[in-house]
Amino acid sequence: MSGTLSRRGFLKFGSSMGAAALVAPALGAPALFVAASAEAAEAANPALLPQRVLLSWSDDPKHSQSATWRTEGTTDTPQAQLASWSANAKFAEGAAVVNATVKRVPLGDGEVSEYQVDFTGLQPNSRYGYRVGDGTTWSPWYHFRTASETPEPFRFVYMGDAQTNLSSMWSRTTLAALLQAPDMRFIAHAGDLVNRGHQDPEWGEWCAALGPIGATIPQVPAPGNHDEKHADGTEPSMTQVASWWRHRFALPNNGPKGYEFLHEESYYVDYQGLRIVVLDTNLYDDEPDDPQQPKVAESQTKWLEEVLANNPNRWTIVMHHHPLYSTGSERDNVELRAALLPIYDKYHVDLVLQGHDHYYGRTKKLFDNKIVEPNAPGTVYAVSVSGPKMYRKNTIFEPLMAKMQGDTQMFQVIDVSNEKLTYRAYDVAGATIDGFELMKDQDGKTTMQEVTA
């Protein structure tokens, strides 16, 4: 490993690498499994084939990476192999073995096994290869890159609601995003990843639509109202993501204290000069079913203010599902806007990424609900949709918008450097739909400029 890994908790693995790839059974997504060596091919167990391999962060992106996966059967030796990434065909010789955790989860008439592995002690700005399995049956080799120690330029992709027709229609958005931004460092999802959060097959379809992108590019999701639905389609009395959410993602536990059900629903990630804060806006309901909900919402709001007040990063983005300025179906989230807008104004949040309304809209720079000059303090708000489900235009907030567009599957590429944040919105056919730049001076003041190409 050339001294690039923390060895604490790692074991040496010295077997030779070999072929033996077989087509996988269903379990949500087609995949391959690889035996540890040609001699071990016959011992590989199809029931232990890793499915739905997905990267996310439960800790610092500079020094860690987490991966989750699932199998139909269970094993007493869940593990991953980790090596410095290289074009050398022998890069995996002497790869470190990292133990994983496993949970057996009821599914239909049987059970499935859900796994998580946390790679820690990694070097910043370094590439690593990994695969997951049980020591005999393996996933393919994937790779990831850790964040830099300093605020170096990078880009990421933002997507609004995927929700429906995931394998047939949302898959074209993920492919278009990969072709447009193959060097993206993560994908930020503004909620409603699936239509019915407690339906496991929909999560399988979501992972299949991502394909190997999900095993190579970390995912940063915000919970939507559909991600919290029960199996019968009803809403929970108190906001809580479906159990499959926590099986699929390994997210930071740095959210509001005292409310365990907000674990991995409200959190923040620091990445190369950017703080992206994720909120669960299902809490801000005009007519909550649970009398405790306003108290929990207040706790999240207080936590948000603390996170923004103690932010060492140059850029700040907040992401949540419900928009402050709705673009679709004549919605108006009054309670949400009243709770969050004063905080965004006070702490000079640069950009807010949202979903829910299934109609693209991006505001001009706003402060106190009003359009301000390009060089004045203010925040830009975006709403987007990446799946095929579409709504009609909401004209209530149209005067605040710089761009609105309906019936269009879209994704956004956001470039971040020390001096500039560039936002461009694309449709899945590759056309540029919208764009702007925020230039930030040494005092932290931004100047906005529209970008048309």
Side-chain angles (χ1 to χ4, degrees):
M1 300 298 292
S2 303
T4 60
L5 294 178
S6 167
R7 311 304 295 183
R8 186 173 65 179
F10 287 6
L11 301 176
K12 282 285 188 178
F13 188 87
S15 67
S16 60
M17 306 298 295
L22 301 177
V23 176
L27 256 190
L32 302 176
F33 71 79
V34 182
S37 66
E39 292 77 13
E42 293 183 2
N45 184 351
L48 298 180
L49 163 64
Q51 298 279 355
R52 307 184 188 183
V53 182
L54 201 68
L55 290 181
S56 49
W57 287 299
S58 60
D59 209 333
D60 177 11
K62 297 188 296 293
H63 300 288
S64 71
Q65 186 71 72
S66 296
T68 59
W69 74 99
R70 66 107 57 91
T71 62
E72 188 177 47
T74 192
T75 175
D76 294 329
T77 58
Q79 60 189 262
Q81 286 184 304
L82 185 70
S84 294
W85 190 242
S86 167
N88 191 314
K90 298 180 180 180
F91 81 97
E93 289 185 356
V97 174
V98 187
N99 293 330
T101 60
V102 58
K103 292 181 181 178
R104 290 295 289 173
V105 182
L107 181 63
D109 295 332
E111 292 181 324
V112 292
S113 297
E114 299 283 355
Y115 306 88
Q116 178 177 329
V117 65
D118 299 310
F119 302 118
T120 59
L122 307 181
Q123 293 296 310
N125 196 25
S126 300
R127 293 181 182 274
Y128 293 92
Y130 79 99
R131 63 177 184 170
V132 297
D134 70 337
T136 301
T137 305
W138 293 102
S139 73
W141 279 98
Y142 301 110
H143 62 90
F144 62 84
R145 181 177 179 175
T146 54
S148 296
E149 195 79 58
T150 56
E152 298 181 11
F154 71 97
R155 62 173 35 173
F156 72 95
V157 166
Y158 145 56
M159 294 188 187
D161 302 29
Q163 192 171 345
T164 61
N165 299 100
L166 298 167
S167 61
S168 63
M169 293 290 285
W170 186 59
S171 57
R172 68 186 194 143
T173 310
T174 63
L175 179 58
L178 178 65
L179 294 174
Q180 185 65 48
D183 55 345
M184 59 181 154
R185 295 297 187 89
F186 58 87
I187 302 178
H189 303 268
D192 281 2
L193 282 64
V194 299
N195 192 40
R196 293 166 294 180
H198 286 262
Q199 291 286 348
D200 174 70
E202 294 193 19
W203 289 103
E205 192 179 353
W206 188 85
C207 289
L210 269 178
I213 299 172
T216 307
I217 306 296
Q219 308 298 304
V220 179
N225 53 301
H226 282 267
D227 302 317
E228 298 185 344
K229 286 184 179 292
H230 289 306
D232 61 3
T234 61
E235 303 280 357
S237 60
M238 176 66 82
T239 178
Q240 186 172 1
V241 291
S243 60
W244 300 114
W245 176 280
R246 294 193 172 91
H247 298 319
R248 291 282 59 76
F249 304 111
L251 301 172
N253 187 17
N254 54 17
K257 303 300 181 185
Y259 298 98
E260 286 303 314
F261 58 82
L262 286 180
H263 174 54
E264 298 182 294
E265 297 180 37
S266 302
Y267 60 94
Y268 66 88
V269 174
D270 291 341
Y271 197 99
Q272 293 183 196
L274 167 70
R275 172 162 290 183
I276 181 166
V277 185
V278 176
L279 300 180
D280 185 348
T281 49
N282 295 288
L283 290 170
Y284 303 96
D285 192 335
D286 290 352
E287 298 178 359
D289 295 327
D290 193 308
Q292 293 296 311
Q293 189 164 318
K295 179 180 178 181
V296 180
E298 182 180 350
S299 174
Q300 181 178 239
T301 305
K302 181 180 178 182
W303 167 83
L304 169 65
E305 188 157 10
E306 293 171 350
V307 168
L308 296 179
N310 298 286
N311 180 9
N313 297 274
R314 188 160 168 79
W315 294 97
T316 306
I317 292 176
V318 179
M319 181 172 67
H320 47 72
H321 184 57
H322 303 81
L324 266 62
Y325 303 101
S326 289
T327 57
S329 296
E330 299 180 357
R331 290 167 166 164
D332 187 0
N333 299 308
V334 177
E335 295 293 331
L336 177 68
R337 191 164 57 253
L340 300 183
L341 181 65
I343 298 175
Y344 295 163
D345 285 348
K346 179 179 179 181
Y347 293 101
H348 305 293
V349 170
D350 296 299
L351 176 62
V352 178
L353 306 177
Q354 305 148 113
H356 191 55
D357 282 352
H358 298 250
Y359 197 105
Y360 179 78
R362 192 264 301 172
T363 71
K364 299 178 181 179
K365 187 188 275 192
L366 304 181
F367 188 89
D368 192 24
N369 288 312
K370 301 178 184 66
I371 297 172
V372 296
E373 293 296 322
N375 61 351
T379 302
V380 183
Y381 299 82
V383 180
S384 193
V385 54
S386 60
K389 180 182 176 182
M390 300 292 167
Y391 292 165
R392 64 182 183 275
K393 180 194 288 188
N394 180 355
T395 60
I396 297 174
F397 299 105
E398 191 169 9
L400 302 179
M401 298 292 166
K403 180 71 178 183
M404 298 187 78
Q405 178 145 334
D407 297 320
T408 307
Q409 283 181 262
M410 298 175 66
F411 63 93
Q412 290 67 228
V413 179
I414 300 174
D415 288 272
V416 182
S417 69
N418 194 55
E419 298 81 16
K420 184 167 62 176
L421 183 151
T422 303
Y423 169 110
R424 284 185 173 85
Y426 300 92
D427 67 22
V428 295
T432 304
I433 302 300
D434 184 30
F436 68 89
E437 291 180 343
L438 291 175
M439 282 72 71
K440 183 165 291 195
D441 65 20
Q442 293 303 311
D443 296 325
K445 297 178 181 178
T446 61
T447 299
M448 184 178 183
Q449 178 178 320
E450 299 289 331
V451 176
T452 57

